[in-house]
């Protein structure tokens, strides 16, 4: 398969080859199949192609179909419907990656998408994650500039001198519109301000929603890489009351462990791996912002990974207790 092949649906032979590779990966313990149907390399894959691949998952208990849906903008409801149908037809659990409704004219549509998910939950297993920011971050593509209120440019390889500037200002300097500016800055990433607080709150409150950062490491990044979980605890729990503290912690710990099949993790229980965070509920808060995205958060006192202290009294110890975790591994 070549890069050009992504401009069209896969052939029967290509699907068969992908299924072989997927089965090898599943036998090695991967969590499942993840798709990015919103992106150029995958957007030409029809539903039937994704179903054919996802059916491979059914032979591996606990394997998931995880998707960055085909459209989170004007066709968000249609995309949720497609996602539900893929899980139903393949007979596998589904996780929607960082569910959102993009664009001011789509604000509020999470009421409908969550209703669709609730209806489907009567018959199949569905979950999702959300991050606590009104701005997303991904590759800077011309077609993605149309729905955002504003866009910050980061990591432009072609024009690093414009990193950190708003795309509208860059377009002015270049004497073109924002779509053309995005084209000239490529390859690059952008931070897109394009979601409503009401949708974020509504999605976060759903019982099948996990908290996820979707953080992308790099020399410049979205503050969610550093601030996501303290932000939920400080702003969404303590300040705004969007979630009770216990529910927020469940969405960060035992719920992801349950959904992804991480055995003996996610709970404070004898015989479980000692992955622990000690924080001050009265002071925990994200300090990272779009100007200084790497500022450490306040109120995190101790962190243990597999029983190893990696943060003690607010200071990094240099010890490393992490390990790879495979599907179903105890």
């Amino acid at each position: 398969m070549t890069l050009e092949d992504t401009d069209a649906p896969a052939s029967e032979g290509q699907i068969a080859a992908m299924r072989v590779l997927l089965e090898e990966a599943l036998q090695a313990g991967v969590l499942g199949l993840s798709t990015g149907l919103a992106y150029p390399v995958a957007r030409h894959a029809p539903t039937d192609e994704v179903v054919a691949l996802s059916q491979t998952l059914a032979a591996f208990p606990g394997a998931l179909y995880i998707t960055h849906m085909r459209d989170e903008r004007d066709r968000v409801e249609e995309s949720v419907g497609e996602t539900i149908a893929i899980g139903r037809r393949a007979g596998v659990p589904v996780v929607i990656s960082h569910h959102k409704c993009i664009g001011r004219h789509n604000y509020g549509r999470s009421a409908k998408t969550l209703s669709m998910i609730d209806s489907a939950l009567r018959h199949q297993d569905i979950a999702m994650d959300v991050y606590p920011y009104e701005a997303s971050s991904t590759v800077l593509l011309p077609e993605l500039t149309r729905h955002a209120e504003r866009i910050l440019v980061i990591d432009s390889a072609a024009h690093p001198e414009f990193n950190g500037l708003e795309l509208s200002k860059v377009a002015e300097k270049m004497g073109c519109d924002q779509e053309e500016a995005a084209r000239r800055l490529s390859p690059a990433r952008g931070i897109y301000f394009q979601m409503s607080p009401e949708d974020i709150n509504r999605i976060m409150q759903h019982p099948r929603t996990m908290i996820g950062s979707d953080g992308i490491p790099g020399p410049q990044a979205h503050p969610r890489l550093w601030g996501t979980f303290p932000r939920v605890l400080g702003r969404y729990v303590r300040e705004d009351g969007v979630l009770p503290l216990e529910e927020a912690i469940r969405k960060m710990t035992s719920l992801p462990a349950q959904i992804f099949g991480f055995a003996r993790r996610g709970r404070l229980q004898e015989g479980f791996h000692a992955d622990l965070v000690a924080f001050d509920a009265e002071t925990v808060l994200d300090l990272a912002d779009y100007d200084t995205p790497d500022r450490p958060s306040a109120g995190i006192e101790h962190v243990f990974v597999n029983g190893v202290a990696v943060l003690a009294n607010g200071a990094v110890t240099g010890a490393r207790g992490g390990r790879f975790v495979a599907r179903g591994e105890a």
Side-chain angles (χ1 to χ4, degrees), residues 112-152:
K112 175 59 176 177
T113 62
L114 293 177
S115 175
M116 294 170 66
I117 290 168
D118 284 335
S119 295
L121 277 167
R122 300 171 189 161
H123 312 289
Q124 62 188 102
D125 190 355
I126 304 172
M128 68 201 102
D129 69 71
V130 69
Y131 48 79
Y133 294 89
E134 295 163 38
S136 61
S137 182
T138 188
V139 291
L140 189 62
L141 296 174
E143 61 266 31
L144 298 185
T145 65
R146 301 164 193 165
H147 290 83
E149 301 288 318
R150 63 190 183 96
I151 301 168
L152 292 179

Side-chain angles (χ1 to χ4, degrees), residues 44-156:
H44 296 288
T47 304
D48 287 347
E49 178 180 321
V50 182
V51 170
L53 290 173
S54 298
Q55 287 171 337
T56 307
L57 304 172
F60 295 84
L64 302 161
Y65 171 62
I66 305 167
T67 183
H68 193 302
M69 296 190 305
R70 199 176 295 276
D71 196 321
E72 297 168 321
R73 295 168 172 78
D74 298 348
R75 298 171 60 199
V76 63
E77 293 164 24
E78 182 179 334
S79 293
V80 168
E82 179 190 37
T83 301
I84 291 169
I86 290 168
R88 183 183 67 248
R89 290 173 60 188
V92 296
V94 169
V95 176
I96 298 173
S97 293
H98 27 278
H99 186 30
K100 64 179 79 70
C101 299
I102 291 174
R104 183 170 294 277
H105 58 289
N106 293 318
Y107 290 178
R109 294 177 71 181
S110 62
K112 175 59 176 177
T113 62
L114 293 177
S115 175
M116 294 170 66
I117 290 168
D118 284 335
S119 295
L121 277 167
R122 300 171 189 161
H123 312 289
Q124 62 188 102
D125 190 355
I126 304 172
M128 68 201 102
D129 69 71
V130 69
Y131 48 79
Y133 294 89
E134 295 163 38
S136 61
S137 182
T138 188
V139 291
L140 189 62
L141 296 174
E143 61 266 31
L144 298 185
T145 65
R146 301 164 193 165
H147 290 83
E149 301 288 318
R150 63 190 183 96
I151 301 168
L152 292 179
V153 176
I154 55 175
D155 267 1
S156 171

Side-chain angles (χ1 to χ4, degrees), residues 209-227:
T209 298
M210 304 170 282
I211 305 300
S213 72
D214 194 32
I216 307 171
Q220 293 182 308
H222 191 299
R224 67 191 181 186
L225 180 63
W226 292 270

Side-chain angles (χ1 to χ4, degrees), residues 9-68:
S11 66
E12 289 187 10
Q14 289 169 332
I15 292 173
M18 287 190 285
R19 292 190 68 164
V20 169
L21 294 173
L22 177 57
E23 185 162 349
E24 290 176 358
L26 289 163
Q27 289 172 344
V30 302
L31 298 178
L33 171 68
S34 177
T35 60
L37 300 179
Y39 291 100
V41 294
R43 64 173 51 139
H44 296 288
T47 304
D48 287 347
E49 178 180 321
V50 182
V51 170
L53 290 173
S54 298
Q55 287 171 337
T56 307
L57 304 172
F60 295 84
L64 302 161
Y65 171 62
I66 305 167
T67 183
H68 193 302

Side-chain angles (χ1 to χ4, degrees), residues 231-285:
R231 182 177 181 85
V232 171
L233 296 171
R235 301 182 192 276
Y236 286 74
V237 172
R238 186 179 65 244
E239 295 180 1
D240 298 337
V242 175
L243 295 173
L245 178 60
E246 296 81 0
E247 177 66 357
I249 292 173
R250 183 186 77 91
K251 289 173 175 291
M252 299 175 183
T253 56
S254 61
L255 182 61
Q258 170 201 340
I259 289 169
F260 288 103
F262 295 148
R264 300 184 184 278
R265 296 185 184 275
R267 295 179 63 86
L268 194 60
Q269 184 172 326
E270 184 177 353
F272 277 45
H273 297 274
D275 298 326
L276 308 170
V277 177
F279 63 90
D280 186 335
E282 297 303 317
T283 63
V284 64
L285 190 68

Side-chain angles (χ1 to χ4, degrees), residues 161-162 165-176 184:
E161 69 272 18
F162 292 135
L165 294 182
E166 292 198 15
L167 184 63
S168 60
K169 301 297 184 184
V170 175
E172 286 179 15
K173 291 177 181 291
M174 289 183 167
C176 61
R184 295 181 190 180

